[in-house]
Amino acid sequence: MLMKNSNINNTTEELRYDLHSHTNLSDGQLTPKELIDRAIARDIDVFAITDHDSLSGLTIARNHCNDNGLKLKLLDGIELSASSDFGDIHIVGLGIDQEDNNLQQLVVKQKQLRRDRAEQIDDKLNKAGVSGILEMIKQDGVDLVTRTHFAKKLIQKGFAKDNTQVFKRFLGRKGKAKVKNYWESMQSCIKTIEGCGGVAVLAHPTRYPISNRKLSYLIEEFKLEGGSGIEVSYPSLNPDEAGWLEVHRAKNDLLASAGSDFHFPDLKWSDLGKFRPVKKNIPHVLDRLLLES
Ligand code: AMP
Ligand code: MN
Ligand code: MN
Ligand code: MN
């Protein structure tokens, strides 16, 4: 149960939390400090920054909380890109140890894969008659390049009108600049996260382009490989999908997690803390993570 005061005679107030968010050290817009300040402004009690394949924002965020005496329980997090039998997936690691050697090595490896991939995407864009995009991204001082960075520049340069179009034309599964990814395996990512004391959570399961049947196998495999959690609430999830996910969470004995996957302040539907409440009385990642701290 996730209550602020769980003493028997206290009136209990539910915790506000968000366990999935991005800073400008991956493909978000806000700096780690700005993101923390926004979490405080949204009355969030427990918060995780989960940048794509990066640990760079965690210490900055923690120092910001400590230096300013902010009352926010911060969990160190990451969102790893991983390859699975069902295609590329995202695994959120919560309560990770950023000093862990295996985790640091994995992050170094993933960052190199991202650099190589960015070059390949840029080559394909060149062949499609769009030149100099990666150079522009680099000039902005971007260290970890994601497809979001490509998308933004392509839109700015007028090659597409919005994100949907840019992913359809260039960056998505059938786009002209689609390249194969060589991410670390799901098994290895789970092992590294859980091996350093973290909780490995299957991120936004319904966003993968696979059938429900395949998704149910993916969830089973995630559990078999040692994963502990699954996101069961996030923006854009409809009630039917949420119900389906809850059935499969329970069937595989996974802990529930939830988050906004916040990237940009102007996307009001995915603001911090904004997602349907998770059903009460079901096993939750915070049961484990708050117990340990
Ligand atoms: P990457 O990890 O570099 O492959 O980039 C993936 C990121 O691109 C995701 O985390 C999303 O933020 C964004 N993204 C992926 N697909 C789409 C899409 N169809 N529309 C908008 N953003 C997307
Ligand atoms: Mn992203
Ligand atoms: Mn993701
Ligand atoms: Mn994310």
Side-chain angles (χ1 to χ4, degrees), residues 20 22 26-28 52-53 79-81 88 90 114 117 121 144-151 162-168 171-173 181 183 204 207 261 263-264 267:
H20 190 152
H22 297 274
S26 67
D27 61 349
H52 295 287
D53 304 304
E79 181 174 17
L80 292 172
S81 311
D88 295 338
H90 284 172
R114 279 190 175 275
R117 187 185 69 149
I121 292 174
L144 183 134
V145 180
T146 69
R147 284 183 296 161
T148 312
H149 293 100
F150 278 99
D162 57 21
N163 252 322
T164 308
Q165 198 177 66
V166 85
F167 272 87
K168 196 166 172 213
L171 304 166
R173 278 185 303 148
N181 297 313
W183 307 124
H204 44 63
R207 288 204 199 138
D261 202 0
H263 285 76
F264 309 107
L267 286 185

Side-chain angles (χ1 to χ4, degrees), residues 51-83:
D51 272 320
H52 295 287
D53 304 304
S54 171
L55 301 163
S56 305
L58 302 181
T59 302
I60 304 169
R62 193 163 293 285
N63 289 343
H64 182 58
C65 288
N66 291 341
D67 294 350
N68 296 285
L70 303 179
K71 278 203 169 40
L72 182 73
K73 171 74 189 159
L74 198 59
L75 299 167
D76 282 344
I78 194 164
E79 181 174 17
L80 292 172
S81 311
S83 60

Side-chain angles (χ1 to χ4, degrees), residues 258-272:
S260 63
D261 202 0
F262 178 88
H263 285 76
F264 309 107
D266 54 345
L267 286 185
K268 295 281 176 265
W269 54 272
S270 67
D271 204 348
L272 290 180

